[in-house]
Amino acid sequence: MPATSELVIVDDRLLIEELLFGLAKGNDVALCTTFYWYYRACRAAVLGAGGHLSGPFQELDNDEQEQAILSLLELRNDIELPDSRPTVPRMAQIAKRHPRLNLLNLEAVAVGQLTGATVWLSAEAAGGVLPDVLDQEGVTWKTVRIVTD
């Protein structure tokens, strides 16, 4: 990856969008996600339920759907995952300041702090508690809207 690429952390919905349709096309970014967001994306692909995470898989025919699920279960090497050794202690520190924050959000904040990356949130995630905590913890974030045809 080019040294000038901006590192961004994508949430579960944006990870699915990247793997199915190419979210980062035309952007000079290096992608990262969290373990929890990666797990939720895989779970949605495998189990499905018709929600905002699994909905994109239902729109695919059977062969495309199978290929899309495999792309999640065998995550591309160019999408980074965090190192748990520094992440877990940072999560514990953040939890002291935000005791009601769930693991998904604790991990996102910790990875954002440790990497200095911008967190890209889907519209659904941007409507939750995470943006306020990211602001409080000094982590840059932005909403990335998924354009559908």
Side-chain angles (χ1 to χ4, degrees):
M1 98 186 72
T4 60
S5 293
E6 174 191 8
L7 181 62
V8 298
I9 303 166
V10 293
D11 72 10
D12 40 14
R13 180 61 187 90
L14 297 176
L15 176 62
I16 290 169
E17 187 70 15
E18 169 62 24
L19 295 172
L20 295 182
F21 307 109
L23 172 74
K25 288 180 184 173
N27 291 305
D28 188 20
V29 296
L31 297 177
C32 179
T33 195
T34 68
F35 287 109
Y36 206 102
W37 277 332
Y38 178 45
Y39 163 73
R40 283 176 33 112
C42 287
R43 185 170 181 263
V46 172
L47 300 178
H52 79 278
L53 288 181
S54 61
F57 293 97
Q58 294 178 332
E59 297 171 11
L60 304 173
D61 67 39
N62 287 343
D63 289 340
E64 289 177 321
Q65 194 174 68
E66 185 176 323
Q67 190 59 37
I69 291 169
L70 286 175
S71 75
L72 268 170
L73 299 178
E74 298 174 8
L75 189 63
R76 295 186 334 226
N77 289 333
D78 66 322
I79 299 175
E80 297 180 34
L81 288 169
D83 180 354
S84 59
R85 289 180 188 268
T87 303
V88 171
R90 182 64 62 99
M91 289 169 66
Q93 293 169 353
I94 295 164
K96 285 179 71 175
R97 293 186 295 277
H98 305 278
R100 295 182 181 215
L101 208 59
N102 67 26
L103 287 172
L104 177 145
N105 291 327
L106 285 169
E107 184 185 20
V109 175
V111 173
Q113 285 182 339
L114 291 167
T115 62
T118 298
V119 178
W120 283 8
L121 298 174
S122 60
E124 295 85 1
V129 299
L130 184 55
D132 186 48
V133 176
L134 290 169
D135 287 340
Q136 290 177 41
E137 293 293 325
V139 177
T140 305
W141 67 277
K142 76 175 194 174
T143 303
V144 175
R145 301 215 183 273
I146 296 169
V147 179
T148 56
D149 294 332

